[in-house]
Amino acid sequence: MNSQEKQPIWTQGFISIFLSNFFIFVAFYGLLTSLPIYVVDELGRSSVDAGLIITIFMLSAIIVRPFSGKLIQDFGKKKTLMISMILFTIFSFMYLLVENYALLLVLRFVHGIWFSIASTATGAIAADIVPLKRRGEGLGYFAMSMNLAVVCGPFISLTLLQYVSFSILFLVLASLITFGVLFTAFSKMKEVKKTTAQAEKKRLQFSDLIDQKALPIAFVGSLVAFTYSSVLSFISMYAKDLNLIEAASYFFLVFAVAMIIARPFSGRLYDSKGPNVVIYPALALFMIGLLFLSIAHSAFMLLFAGAFIGLGYGTVVPCLQTLAIQATDHHRSSHATATFFTLFDTGIATGSFVLGIVVAQLGYETLYLLAGLFLILVIFMYKLVQSRKKATSPALEWQESSL
């Protein structure tokens, strides 16, 4: 315990990267919420066109994400983050200039590239900054920057749209990113030096794109993301169908509060007792939340479900990301982060499409019932990955216990 107390998590470097990541995701979620409305109301396009605006952004992120680890390793984490954040900011301001749907699609695709690189770099830097023996707790706190942005981004967008034009909204969101650039510029980050073999290697290899050691747990993460896409993509429409649209605006607030309450305990438990003690209960809570959603017919039930989902999903994702990073060598944290989020983004994108078909055929209640039951498969796959890990490394009880 004393050794842990001598290794603080909330250092100047950690706070800086936390805030940088927070502002990246505030802009991401702010645009995610407002652009579909902009496409339909201002550009006069269909809801299908509005959905494509989201899909093409995710597509570019998925395509570029595997290359992010190699870029970060070659150019350095802070340098890569600074360049990608500056470009992410510049392209954020360009929403003020684009009033054509085709050009907006191009802008979204290019914007997704810089988002992918920047968010991979912040995750890799956070993994390097937090003390090794408190990595589960530290990366859990870091994940709060994204989860808080889930609340702040949509809240800023939907609140401002009641009083100002889209141009002002885009200006505000782009300006917020500049704060992230400033926090990055003034932060102190240690670079992990490349080995001689890494420095001499020039040819692009599969290992530069995907970290094979992180791949199994990243696959489990993609299944969790697939399930969560049912909430991310359809909760507002489900609430509207139930005449609970006002309550839906508080759904992610309850989600975030539940996650924040659980985060300190879950992170410390992860580091002291290992991942299974946290991940199995978290998946169970996530399942319960989805099953409650399937029978929600009141604002109370909707928000009650949001609390369970916040506890479950909000806990399990940073734990899986930590496992992916711990599965590989220390100098490959950026590759592991890129691998995890490549599969995670793919799970979100695939789930939004596949589960959209389920909604069209079976309705929202059945969607959330099936999504909850799908987590039984996720639990089984996680158990399989962990048992194979123990079989291949029987001498290792838990990585952190030997540090």
Side-chain angles (χ1 to χ4, degrees):
M1 187 71 175
N2 290 335
S3 63
Q4 287 192 9
E5 288 175 354
K6 293 176 184 176
Q7 297 178 304
I9 291 174
W10 292 95
T11 60
Q12 187 267 341
F14 183 82
I15 293 171
S16 295
I17 203 65
F18 179 97
L19 292 172
S20 297
N21 199 58
F22 171 74
F23 285 116
I24 290 171
F25 278 90
V26 164
F28 169 72
Y29 285 114
L31 290 169
L32 189 74
T33 304
S34 58
L35 278 176
I37 302 171
Y38 175 73
V39 168
V40 173
D41 292 354
E42 296 292 311
L43 301 184
R45 308 291 296 206
S46 68
S47 57
V48 175
D49 292 332
L52 186 58
I53 285 291
I54 305 303
T55 303
I56 200 163
F57 185 95
M58 296 299 296
L59 179 63
S60 70
I62 291 168
I63 291 171
V64 173
R65 187 81 76 176
F67 297 92
S68 301
K70 173 67 172 172
L71 285 171
I72 292 166
Q73 185 183 69
D74 287 349
F75 294 99
K77 294 183 176 71
K78 183 171 180 178
K79 186 176 180 181
T80 304
L81 179 57
M82 275 300 300
I83 293 171
S84 58
M85 283 201 68
I86 289 169
L87 289 168
F88 185 67
T89 305
I90 291 170
F91 280 91
S92 296
F93 279 106
M94 289 184 69
Y95 287 96
L96 292 163
L97 307 175
V98 174
E99 297 180 352
N100 175 278
Y101 180 74
L103 289 177
L104 185 60
L105 284 175
V106 174
L107 174 58
R108 287 294 284 170
F109 186 86
V110 178
H111 206 204
I113 293 173
W114 308 122
F115 167 78
S116 174
I117 297 172
S119 56
T120 302
T122 54
I125 290 168
D128 287 346
I129 289 175
V130 297
L132 285 176
K133 289 188 177 182
R134 301 185 69 186
R135 197 173 250 183
E137 185 182 357
L139 290 182
Y141 284 130
F142 177 73
M144 284 173 55
S145 62
M146 292 175 275
N147 295 127
L148 291 173
V150 168
V151 179
C152 295
F155 178 79
I156 290 169
S157 289
L158 296 177
T159 301
L160 286 180
L161 282 179
Q162 298 178 50
Y163 307 102
V164 301
S165 66
F166 280 99
S167 295
I168 299 297
L169 172 62
F170 295 151
L171 180 63
V172 170
L173 292 176
S175 299
L176 287 174
I177 295 292
T178 60
F179 286 107
V181 175
L182 292 174
F183 282 116
T184 301
F186 292 107
S187 64
K188 296 176 182 177
M189 304 173 193
K190 254 193 226 176
E191 293 289 351
V192 178
K193 292 183 179 179
K194 291 189 286 185
T195 64
T196 305
Q198 290 172 323
E200 290 176 352
K201 189 179 73 170
K202 297 294 182 183
R203 191 190 311 173
L204 187 68
Q205 298 179 356
F206 179 75
S207 61
D208 293 322
L209 306 180
I210 298 294
D211 189 285
Q212 292 184 342
K213 293 179 181 178
L215 200 54
I217 205 69
F219 174 70
V220 177
S222 74
L223 297 180
V224 172
F226 180 93
T227 311
Y228 181 63
S229 69
S230 66
V231 178
L232 190 64
S233 300
F234 304 110
I235 188 66
S236 59
M237 289 184 280
Y238 180 40
K240 185 177 180 182
D241 195 55
L242 294 173
N243 293 317
L244 297 174
I245 194 67
E246 186 176 347
S249 63
Y250 295 98
F251 180 89
F252 286 107
L253 178 61
V254 173
F255 173 105
V257 170
M259 175 207 65
I260 291 168
I261 291 171
R263 181 70 75 221
F265 308 103
S266 62
R268 288 170 193 158
L269 197 59
Y270 179 104
D271 288 327
S272 62
K273 301 295 184 181
N276 294 347
V277 176
V278 180
I279 289 177
Y280 284 123
L283 288 171
L285 289 169
F286 189 13
M287 182 192 302
I288 292 169
L290 290 170
L291 294 177
F292 274 132
L293 267 188
S294 71
I295 58 172
H297 293 288
S298 67
F300 173 79
M301 281 294 289
L302 190 73
L303 299 180
F304 192 60
F308 274 90
I309 293 171
L311 287 171
Y313 172 82
T315 298
V316 77
V317 172
C319 288
L320 292 176
Q321 183 188 353
T322 304
L323 269 178
I325 292 170
Q326 288 174 327
T328 193
D329 301 323
H330 184 57
H331 69 271
R332 287 182 59 83
S333 60
S334 59
H335 293 80
T337 303
T339 299
F340 182 82
F341 282 112
T342 296
L343 270 69
F344 192 86
D345 291 344
T346 302
I348 292 287
T350 305
S352 297
F353 176 75
V354 173
L355 298 181
I357 298 173
V358 174
V359 168
Q361 297 295 321
L362 303 174
Y364 294 107
E365 289 88 352
T366 305
L367 165 70
Y368 289 114
L369 174 63
L370 293 176
L373 296 176
F374 183 77
L375 282 172
I376 296 174
L377 173 63
V378 178
I379 292 171
F380 173 78
M381 289 304 301
Y382 173 72
K383 182 177 176 60
L384 183 63
V385 167
Q386 288 297 84
S387 62
R388 284 187 175 182
K389 179 181 170 184
K390 285 182 181 178
T392 54
S393 304
L396 293 178
E397 289 294 324
W398 170 236
Q399 287 189 27
E400 293 302 312
S401 63
S402 63
L403 292 174

